[in-house]
Amino acid sequence: MRSETQNLNHLKQGDCTVNLTVNGEQKILQVQPWVSLLDGLRDHLNLTGTKKGCDHGQCGACTIICDDKRILSCLTLAVMKNGSEITTVEGIAHGNELHPIQQAFIDHDAFQCGYCTPGQLCSAIGLIKEGKAQTREEVKELMSGNLCRCGANIGIIDAIMEVKAGGGHE
Amino acid sequence: MNNFEYKQAEDIATAINLISEQDNTKFLAGGTNLLDLWKYNLTNPSGLVDINRIHGLAEIKELSNGGVRLGANFKNADTAYHPIIENKYPLLSKAILAGASAQIRNMASNGGNLLQRTRCYYFYDPDVPCNKRNPGSGCPAKEGYNRIHAILGTSDHCIAVFPSDMCVALAALNALVNVEGAEGKRTIAFADFHRLPGDRPDLDNNLKPGELITSIDLPDKGFAQNYSYLKLRDRHSYAFALVSVATALELDGEMIKDARIALGGVAHKPWRSTEAENFLRGKSANESNFAAAADIILQDAKGYGHNDFKIALAKKAIIRNGLMALNPQSQLPGAKPSA
Amino acid sequence: MEDSNKSIGKGINRIDGILKITGKATYATDYPAKNMAYAVLFKSTIAAGKIKSIESTEAQKYPGVIKIITHENILPLNTKGGLRGGALLQSPEVTFHGQHIGIVVAETFEQATAAAHLITVEYNQKEEKIDFDNLAKTPEMPKGKELADLVRGAGKSALADAEVKIEASYETPIEHHHPMEPHATVAVWEGDQLTLYNGSQIINGAQTAAAATLNIKPEQVRIISPFIGGGFGSKGGQWANLVLTAVAAKMVGRPVKLALTRQQMFNSVGLRQRNIQQLSIGATKEGKLLTLAHETISHTAVDSEYIEPCGDCTKVMYEVPNSLISYRVVPMNLILPTYTRGPGKSTGSFALESAMDELAYTLKMDPIELRIKNEPAKDTSNGKPWSSRTTVKCLQEGAKAFGWAKRKPEPGTNKIGDDLIGYGVACGTYPARQRDSSAVIKLSLKNKVVYATIEIAASDLGTGTNTILAQTAADGLGLPVKQINVKLGDSDLPPAAGSVGSVGASSFANAVNDACIKITDELLAKSGKQFFVRPTAAQLMISEYIADFQTRSDSKAPAEAEKYSAHSFNANFAEVRVNSVTGMVKVTRFLAVTGAGKILNPKTARSQIIGGIVWGIGMALTEESIIDPRYGNFATRSFADYHVPTNLDIGDLDAMFINEKDFIPNKMGVKGIGEVGIVGVAAAVANAVFNATGKRVRSLPITPDKLL
């Protein structure tokens, strides 16, 4: 069995304090500078809704909303985002009231295994907020940073088109 | 791998000082390529200087000469969607939107876009030789799987391509790169910024150690009437170019007054051919002249087996993009190839 | 209430959807454990040889490192315990590039990763067998008896007499499953009891393989896998990473989390192997098939054999008096290939259905007509009658819905601007089977409301198992779906088949249905009353004031099923646009018409079929893993190089189901859809590309360069 001091070894490696507002709550992360925002959320704040699919910015599963923009949490160091406001899949509903995109994902069966879904949802919210995609093809193009290996693509795009058409929502 | 020191710089001078204090310290902007490489253990900075909070680098502003200055920290997506860029430099907007994904464009900085490393399979594999990663170790791509590799400007030492889309447009637009280092400020013409591999493929560009890109200047001439960016790839989105072409034309009726053609996915830098552009000047903007220009551009093109097809593909792309530039409305979002 | 009380057959929303869209669905690495340590694997950088030495002094000293485990210090494991792919660190032998050769366990993921980079390994390298292009010239006979040459009639020799012949070779590349969730495990020991949080398509299979490999009893191992981030076959059989996590946890005396990296996914959890398929068809001028030969050359691991059965569709698709199905194989220093969505049938149908299209073109016959003309009355491979066969219906209904009549038979004649338009058709099939499964139903009465809990060690990897079992129980018990709680994905539950080979829905749903019948019977008996109309279990619970009641059913396929050949069938219709200048292909429309018996939930079933189409489009156009034989490793090793279709690659896809009632294969008439959805898709796309361009691409994927 290892001693307590050995267990704390990692803390010697230059921890940084990172202040974040995550899903509306103030959080303080004590992490080494090389901890990605993704691992910070998952391993340190136990917000495991955000997923690691490739860890290299090639699948979109780790997409979160940071200061109103969709970004990849795997290619971001947590320390870079000190003072930022972050929304993850756990924070997109308002209490028990689902975000319209969440309901639309259920209605359109826009997922199967569900692993890419948190990233798809955050990306969709980012896309709608950006307001750059008008046509179905444009939505597809601007959602192409989120891979779905189950092939739920049609449902994903249908869901976004429906919410866009509904308008008004963020 | 993990032992880097992380520091934030609030101003340019501090950033440059921090870099020069320690060997192997790197600027950190968007992080989209640097952190990718670092996680693969392909780069091992001893320190990262986060430049994201430097005041004044994340701006876009109009210059008195009629041009526009893009701050180095201004994001790719913000650039592409900025009204000035959309209206005056739509070619740049198109090219940016053809690259990466919406999320990455939200993160990636304009300065960082210029500093992307190649996507060569062998560069990305630390267990095999690569002259770019490990000078003198050899280039496995030449006799290997080189489907995505260069056909122009290659050397015996390296056949990697530079992967940016944005830079292809910047090359066509004759952008200028403003840099600052310990020895002061200087401006580098875009054509001189990136370099061919020669016998130093480890060097992607002509930045001096410790120099920071502060901004990119776009000259007045934006070719907003006749332009097109065409990107051909193995899937319709979120893939690096097999071949891409940025074409900008200034027309007088059917006659070409000025022409710019830059190619991506074919060389170690965005590829321009003054000879081809000179040839087009004064000629009719038609298929046969674009074909002749393509032949000039590709006269020294050389395939390495798996990428032989790129020569024919590049020719077709140059012609097609020339025709598309005559009617920019024929372009679809994300630089999709067909109308 | 709607007029029909039945839930089965209704396209209700997934009952677990709410968890998935709120981030509350728990996948393997989402499980916290107190005092968790993090492990990463390090891997061989040669394809064949022996480890001479592992230098890990620097890594040992790295902050936070707890233990480095290699073949020199690992606990002994049973290498024949049922895990796939070897790589259990039991010897210094290396048989493929990227084989696991060690584990670093540290306090944090980042420390383990960094320390692993400090380790250097020396090898005695052997010459590796990896160059398939060369090795395929001298292949071997496979060891598996089911892969022996299958000759009917005069076999291939009948080709000589045929009026019309098609002889062509088709190639499909190595593909990777790449579920979005990389394989990952959290291992927690409590004394001699081991809990493994691990995405598993076959819960009990993972349990027994882990136990056998660890030399402990199955009762000592619990697999928890309520959510699986995709699998597609790669999480069917389990791989070394499962048990290596358990060993690491044992050796450091703490819970351990180990997730493969995306790059490690290329050589850790199987792959779909490269196949060279020679198709030879002999036919009359009228289009009657005389002979059909399907000869496949493929590769396997050097120490273990898996070959996907590319000839399976060819065995059963057409009426033909003479045929040959054969396999040859090349052992290579590469990870063991494994079941990959539609194993054999997807790739095999690309060859068969492309060749049929070539025959139709040669005969100047409509490809649908050609297929119908050669429709077999019974399963020619075994002489058994079909339980039912829907191929012709799929073709005819699909042709009508898709607008097949608009197809121009002559290639290259349908043009809009620079785009060439083409239509293609291809058929597919997959066997329908029911496997042994048990289910427990627990009923309880609270405030006059009956609630049911269904317990079964089934799995749901996005297939919709949770939902269809709730629907099955709802109908079987007389309850609304919302009063039913489905518990699956846990080896402590009654044993069940896996979500593999399209047996999941039929096996699980029949088990639950049988349990519903049984519990109703038992409640009736308990009541001691006679009823004119058989009451539901829910009604009995209320009328008899029973607070709690439960039963278990152990279900098997009906004995009668063996006498028939039972399959799902489909017909696939593709419309492509090929840019005549750039060679880029887009599948603009696709329709799959499927006869798969009773469709339990049309919504989730449609998603399954459409997912299969997307996979087929990837197979047809974008997916390929390339080996560099000089290094014995993949040159393409990331999602930037391995092109999974993006949202923009997907056009208008649609799925229709034939209303088929076939209760021979199982009581509920369920045939399975997970696999058949991909079968025939790549061929339909390739045939459409031919119709558009006149270019017959026989080597997948159809990338732009092949159409220049």
Side-chain angles (χ1 to χ4, degrees), chain C residues 47-256:
Chain C
K50 210 169 185 173
I51 297 167
K52 205 156 59 173
S53 64
I54 297 178
E55 173 51 54
S56 60
T57 317
E58 286 297 304
Q60 296 278 6
K61 286 191 290 196
Y62 195 82
V65 169
I66 301 165
K67 196 166 197 73
I68 294 173
I69 301 166
T70 69
H71 68 278
E72 288 164 352
N73 63 347
I74 192 168
L75 298 175
L77 297 171
N78 172 10
T79 57
K80 309 240 180 286
L83 291 177
R84 298 179 78 76
L88 284 163
L89 314 190
Q90 296 301 297
S91 87
E93 293 295 328
V94 172
T95 61
F96 62 93
H97 198 297
Q99 177 183 322
H100 314 314
I101 56 170
I103 314 166
V104 180
V105 191
E107 298 293 338
T108 70
F109 164 70
E110 294 81 7
Q111 290 167 330
T113 305
H117 287 311
L118 298 173
I119 293 168
T120 53
V121 183
E122 282 192 52
Y123 305 91
N124 285 318
Q125 203 168 344
K126 284 200 308 203
E127 195 180 334
E128 68 269 10
K129 290 189 274 183
I130 195 75
D131 189 352
F132 184 69
D133 290 316
N134 274 323
L135 294 166
K137 291 169 193 159
T138 53
E140 301 172 4
M141 286 295 293
K143 294 185 182 76
K145 287 195 185 77
E146 72 286 1
L147 298 168
D149 290 4
L150 190 73
V151 182
R152 276 196 307 110
K156 194 181 175 182
S157 63
L159 191 65
D161 306 328
E163 291 168 322
V164 184
K165 292 171 206 170
I166 298 294
E167 290 178 274
S169 176
Y170 301 87
E171 276 208 54
T172 55
I174 290 176
E175 288 187 285
H176 280 91
H177 310 76
H178 278 315
M180 293 309 297
E181 177 200 30
H183 291 51
T185 310
V186 170
V188 183
W189 288 91
E190 285 158 297
D192 289 338
Q193 288 293 320
L194 171 65
T195 303
L196 294 166
Y197 301 90
N198 178 83
S200 316
Q201 291 176 235
I202 315 174
I203 304 295
N204 300 107
Q207 179 192 24
T208 50
T213 307
L214 287 160
N215 298 306
I216 59 178
K217 296 189 203 100
E219 307 87 81
Q220 290 173 264
V221 177
R222 182 175 179 192
I223 303 286
I224 295 185
S225 176
F227 294 95
I228 308 168
F232 316 110
S234 68
K235 292 172 187 165
Q238 291 292 322
W239 305 81
N241 62 296
L242 171 70
V243 161
L244 293 180
T245 315
V247 173
K250 184 108 198 161
M251 290 176 72
V252 302
R254 291 168 60 176
V256 166

Side-chain angles (χ1 to χ4, degrees), chain B residues 259 261 272-281 289 292-299:
Chain B
I261 300 176
R272 285 274 300 271
S273 162
T274 328
E275 194 188 340
E277 291 170 11
N278 288 341
F279 163 83
L280 284 174
R281 258 177 230 122
N289 283 326
D295 287 337
I296 297 171
I297 294 169
L298 297 164
Q299 59 194 337

